[in-house]
Amino acid sequence: MFRSLAVVGATGAVGRIMVELLEKSALQFEKIKFLASKRSVGKTLTFRGQEYPIEELRPEAFDGVDLAVSSTPDEVAREFIPEAVKRGCVVVDESAAWRMDPDVPLVIPEVNPHAAFRHKGIIASPNCSTTQMVVALKPLHDYGRVKRVVVSTYQAASGAGVGGTTDLIEGTRAYLENRPYQYTTFAYPLAFNLIPQIGSPKHAGYTSEEMKMVLETRKIMEDESIQICATCVRVPVANSHSETILVETEKKITVDKARELFASFPGIVVVDDLPNKKYPMPMDCTGRDEVFVGRIREDLSSPNGLVFWCVSDNLRKGAATNAVQIVELLIRGKPN
């Protein structure tokens, strides 16, 4: 069914990881092309030993393309993805442009693979902070039904793109050398600091990033009754987002049962040995495709509450890996 593939945004931070994952995968296409903005035209990209030119992202580039995986700014996605669909292309989109469109499924393959096959040409991949949380919530929800979630995120600089990483590195260097640095991505210095705002102001004092976690989680879990309170914070970490997640469930889940549920769920790795100082940390999770869970404990303030720590590489499972997994899901066909 899918004989040709386009990678959109192939030269970006997430796009490069998509290319790497596709290269290592067992997926085979008769034709593959790599699209990016005009400034990347003229460059080449090596894929499975063959050199490919970077082509300009324009509507005609999707002619003859069956499937595309895309990572672009939201406004670019809004402009070009409908053009791809008009030409008969199915698009897996990593941007936020289509996530809450009622006609567009929002998919995490471990959580709601069935939704992918309801598409009308576009399938959305969730926000990075939402993805790792929902992967961790899913086994708990299946066993004990999640009623309420309180989540605080500790989000890495790379979540703001290449500019965010540059700001962290150069800002830290400038701080240590006692010289000024003009931040270009963040409104305040990130080095030796925390910024308790990610995204723009939205509903009732919450930011757009926080509301994404609320709305996207309910859509993916197909349960509008789940109550979610999110606080999203940018921290001086290069890569991999961390989250403290408090969950209240209808049915009590013990710590031992939670460990069992997490360990048996695809895509989750449990690292939970507090006496021996073993728990997930960003430095250990970067470059990995799984969601890591540790510090699992009962909530002392709630009879059916559970608290845990969750870390995942935001550029991989939070973005590129999830999108490529959706591509693999589509090619395999409907889940059993």
Side-chain angles (χ1 to χ4, degrees):
M1 179 183 176
F2 297 111
R3 297 187 181 89
S4 55
L5 176 75
V7 181
V8 183
T11 58
V14 173
R16 288 195 295 267
I17 298 173
M18 287 177 174
V19 172
E20 173 198 329
L21 293 168
L22 288 165
E23 187 169 33
K24 293 177 180 177
S25 76
L27 298 175
Q28 297 292 328
F29 298 95
E30 294 175 8
K31 176 184 176 184
I32 188 164
K33 60 168 63 179
F34 302 95
L35 310 178
S37 64
K38 188 178 294 186
R39 65 178 176 270
S40 293
V41 174
K43 297 178 182 178
T44 59
L45 184 152
T46 302
F47 182 81
R48 294 177 179 171
Q50 184 175 339
E51 204 168 79
Y52 291 84
I54 302 295
E55 299 181 36
E56 183 181 350
L57 175 58
R58 54 195 181 91
E60 296 77 16
F62 294 101
D63 288 341
V65 175
D66 302 320
L67 182 61
V69 58
S70 176
S71 176
T72 68
D74 296 353
E75 62 273 14
V76 176
R78 291 189 190 99
E79 180 181 357
F80 286 100
I81 287 178
E83 294 295 335
V85 174
K86 282 180 189 176
R87 289 163 169 79
C89 182
V90 175
V91 183
V92 177
D93 180 40
E94 195 275 321
S95 82
W98 305 97
R99 289 175 186 156
M100 295 313 298
D101 188 310
D103 290 329
V104 175
L106 185 60
V107 175
I108 301 173
E110 300 95 329
V111 176
N112 62 335
H114 57 277
F117 299 94
R118 301 173 184 161
H119 74 79
K120 297 179 181 179
I122 306 172
I123 301 166
S125 186
N127 183 47
C128 47
S129 53
T130 303
T131 299
Q132 68 187 76
M133 180 177 75
V134 172
V135 168
L137 291 180
K138 177 62 173 172
L140 305 180
H141 191 63
D142 286 349
Y143 180 83
R145 191 178 172 277
V146 171
K147 294 171 57 181
R148 181 171 179 259
V149 180
V150 179
V151 56
S152 296
T153 73
Y154 310 79
Q155 295 182 224
S158 63
V162 175
T165 302
T166 300
D167 268 1
L168 175 62
I169 294 170
E170 296 304 322
T172 301
R173 185 175 286 123
Y175 184 95
L176 293 172
E177 294 173 356
N178 196 29
R179 58 178 175 81
Y181 171 73
Q182 183 62 50
Y183 280 79
T184 61
T185 298
F186 301 118
Y188 299 99
L190 186 60
F192 302 94
N193 193 27
L194 302 175
I195 304 174
Q197 177 181 353
I198 302 177
S200 57
K202 288 292 181 184
H203 173 73
Y206 289 84
T207 67
S208 55
E209 185 81 359
E210 290 157 355
M211 292 311 298
K212 285 176 187 176
M213 295 192 76
V214 175
L215 301 173
E216 291 180 15
T217 298
R218 290 172 177 168
K219 182 173 179 177
I220 297 162
M221 302 282 274
E222 298 178 358
D223 190 340
E224 292 295 318
S225 71
I226 299 174
Q227 299 301 301
I228 303 158
C229 179
T231 301
C232 295
V233 182
R234 188 73 69 189
V235 300
V237 169
N239 196 58
S240 290
H241 292 348
S242 303
E243 299 175 354
T244 301
I245 303 173
L246 187 156
V247 183
E248 290 185 18
T249 52
E250 200 169 85
K251 177 181 178 181
K252 183 176 178 61
I253 303 176
T254 65
V255 170
D256 287 342
K257 186 62 181 179
R259 285 199 190 100
E260 177 190 324
L261 293 169
F262 287 137
S264 62
F265 194 77
I268 295 179
V269 175
V270 177
V271 184
D272 188 32
D273 186 357
L274 183 62
N276 289 305
K277 300 179 181 178
K278 293 183 179 179
Y279 24 70
M281 294 184 290
M283 65 186 299
D284 299 322
C285 301
T286 290
R288 298 284 297 272
D289 293 315
E290 305 93 338
V291 171
F292 293 80
V293 172
R295 295 297 321 277
I296 306 165
R297 58 206 189 274
E298 289 194 14
D299 172 17
L300 299 180
S301 68
S302 170
N304 281 16
L306 195 72
V307 187
F308 58 93
W309 175 250
C310 178
V311 184
S312 188
D313 187 324
N314 52 288
L315 296 181
R316 296 186 77 93
K317 183 53 183 173
T321 300
N322 196 71
V324 171
Q325 286 174 331
I326 296 171
V327 169
E328 293 172 329
L329 173 63
L330 291 173
I331 290 170
R332 282 198 309 269
K334 291 194 176 185
N336 295 328

